[in-house]
Each structure stands twice: as structure tokens, then as C-alpha cells.
Amino acid sequence: MEYRHTPVLLAEVTQHLSLHPGSIIVDCTLGGAGHAKRITASIAPTGTLVGIDQDDAALTAAEITLRLGQQIKENDVRIVLLKGNFGDLNTLLPQAGIASVDGFLFDLGVSSPQLDLPDRGFTYQEDALLDMRMDSSGPITAHDVVNTYEQSQLARVLREYGEERWASRIAEFIVAARGRHSIETTGDLVEIIKAAVPAAARKGGPHPARRTFQALRIEVNGELDVLRKGLHSAVPWLAPGGRIAVISYHSLEDRIVKRIFTELSTGCTCPPDFPVCRCGVKPVLRIVTRRPVVPSETEIEANPRARSAKLRVAERI
Ligand SMILES: C[S@@+](CC[C@H](N)C(=O)[O-])C[C@H]1O[C@@H](n2cnc3c(N)ncnc32)[C@H](O)[C@@H]1O
């Protein structure tokens, strides 16, 4: 099946990574290699592209795009594709045989094929088994979460990761439903959510299952923890002047990126009333984008999934 994903903020990412021939770039979320393909063209000849993804289907698609693509001539760019989680950069990057990196790209979340293929269990638009793992060998599925978490744990996940105002009620309805029989499919779950959210609150807004599905996906893939881990492990690999670019798609992710960039560009953590610095912490990043870069109206019109994208970029001092 064809892997169709339109890269978001493509020109802006390429510009902000300040690519040049010979650059060593790590695309931590390779997907279908939409960004990576453009990157390889800008770092040829002699550049290196390391592409990481935890999804086998993405890696297969990316390999076809990059290695069989007409755009780059053979041997112009060294391409290393690695299956893994970007939370494990410190074990993945040594496998690529590089000593430092000129640019990292994190294009967070799921790809269009992950969302659109019902058998991945991410979509509330079609009925499928509840899965939601980006890495199909991952330890927990959405089925495990909805059928085994305690009610209070479920409510916390929906509240924190979905910012769902009906979290407690949805959790209560899930626990009642699974008491009758286990919840097997995305369709079963959507019906439970619809029953839990009052009709008046469902009117006019987005799909009532949207926030719950986002929350489950984040929980199943540990997305926020690996984002923190990934950013913190990437920065020490950056060469001076090297850049890190992150595209996020919801406020929870964007807040984490903003906070980590601010923390690493601030340095000293001594209380403000200390006359001299005692902690010795020095800033390691300079923030390049004071405000996040967002897609143009034209891009959003052509690719509605770009709507919520925010790009933040920082540079290693
Ligand atoms: C938005 S898509 C990237 C699309 C890509 N930039 C393109 O242009 O085709 C996100 C990809 O990152 C992968 N991904 C998400 N979180 C990951 C993680 N923690 N480690 C490795 N891959 C991850 C997903 O499997 C998915 O393929």
C-alpha cells in the first residue's frame, strides 16, 4: 500500500536547519521521509542523513523514497536508517558511526498512514481493534489501557493527556462498560464516549472522541516522556552552531519543547537574590525562533493536518 504523508512546514524546516553540503543531520521521526528527502538534496554531496523511526512501515516507505528516489545520485549522501525510539538516541547514534550532529529534526506525533489505516487502531473514524502503538512490538496497547487501568488512572490519563473536561465521566462509563464485556474496538469506545459526554456538550465541537483518542495514544506510546528524554539527549550531540528543530501538534508537546529550550538557554539556576552565581550552569542553547513558526493559510488549505503545527528551533552555543 502506498505511504502518503505530506511533510509539514517543509521550506521552513529546511531553512531553519541551515543545511549545507556535508552536514550531518538526524531526522528522529523519519515517517515517509518527506522532510528527509528534501534534506538529503541540501546536504549533498558528502552529507550524512541518519533517519530514525519506531514504525517498521515508515522505515520501509522511507527506504524506498530515499534509496530509490531519483533526486539524489548514489553515494552523494550517506544514509543510515535505524529502527528505534528517539528517546534512545544515546544508543542509536553510536550505531550510525557519527561523532557529532549539525541538525536534529523532530516532527512529532503520528503520520497520516498511521492515522488513516484502520488496523493501526488510531482512528475514531472507523471501527478497528484498539491498538495505537507506533512500534507494533511495544509493550502496551490502547486495549490494555481501557480494559485494565483503574478508573482513577484512566481519568487522570484523559484529563492530563487529552485535556478532556469530561474525563471522570468517560472513565466511569468505560469501567461500567467493560464490567459487562471487554472493550474490543475503536467503535465500541466511541459509542461509550458518546454516551458519557452530554449531547449539549457534543454539539458543534470537534468529534467527542478526539481528546480521549489523543490521550490514549500519548499514554500507549509514552509520548511526553520520550519527548523530554529525546530533546535532552539530542542537545549534547550538537556541534557548536548545530540546530535542533521540533514540530509539535498540540499544546502539551509545545509546552515541553518551549520549557526545555528556555531552560537550556538560560543557564544559571541560582535564586535571583544570590549576588554571584554558585551553580555554575551555563546556557548551551540559543533560541532561534522566539515565537513558534506556524504554517501559512495556503499550506493549511492544501494540508489541513498542518493546522496545529508549531515549529521551534534552537542552536547549540
Ligand atoms: C509526523 S510523522 C513524520 C513524518 C515525516 N517528517 C515525513 O515528512 O514523512 C511522525 C513519525 O515519527 C515516528 N515517531 C513518533 N514518535 C517517535 C519516537 N519516539 N521514536 C521514533 N519514531 C517516532 C512515527 O512513527 C511517525 O512515523
Side-chain angles (χ1 to χ4, degrees), residues 26-94:
V26 180
D27 183 343
C28 295
T29 49
L30 188 63
H35 288 103
K37 187 174 170 185
R38 176 72 70 85
I39 290 169
T40 48
S42 308
I43 62 176
T46 72
T48 298
L49 172 87
V50 181
I52 298 171
D53 207 294
Q54 57 180 332
D55 181 351
D56 289 307
L59 283 166
T60 307
E63 179 147 22
I64 293 169
T65 303
L66 291 171
R67 295 201 198 274
L68 304 182
Q70 299 298 312
Q71 197 178 349
I72 46 165
K73 288 189 224 107
E74 254 180 39
N75 303 325
D76 264 359
V77 171
R78 186 172 163 250
I79 297 174
V80 184
L81 302 186
L82 299 170
K83 157 124 197 213
N85 192 303
F86 62 62
D88 300 323
L89 279 180
N90 288 333
T91 33
L92 289 167
L93 292 184

Side-chain angles (χ1 to χ4, degrees), residues 98-178:
I98 49 174
S100 71
V101 173
D102 299 311
F104 280 99
L105 171 62
F106 293 77
D107 179 18
L108 302 173
V110 280
S111 63
S112 297
Q114 286 168 331
L115 271 180
D116 294 340
L117 287 177
D119 66 341
R120 302 300 301 262
F122 284 101
T123 179
Y124 45 78
Q125 310 283 9
E126 296 198 50
D127 199 19
L129 289 177
L130 277 163
D131 190 322
M132 301 199 191
R133 288 171 301 174
M134 291 188 214
D135 175 352
S136 302
S137 62
I140 60 163
T141 64
H143 183 278
D144 298 328
V145 177
V146 296
N147 286 294
T148 65
Y149 276 28
E150 283 182 15
Q151 186 173 323
S152 58
Q153 244 183 320
L154 266 175
R156 180 192 58 77
V157 167
L158 304 191
R159 196 175 307 113
E160 280 181 21
Y161 298 159
E163 301 182 291
E164 172 57 72
R165 64 185 277 239
W166 300 101
S168 301
R169 211 172 133 83
I170 295 172
E172 186 189 324
F173 274 58
I174 288 175
V175 170
R178 77 187 191 203

Side-chain angles (χ1 to χ4, degrees), residues 197-208 210:
V197 179
R202 278 192 266 135
K203 250 197 204 147
H207 193 289
R210 192 174 66 90

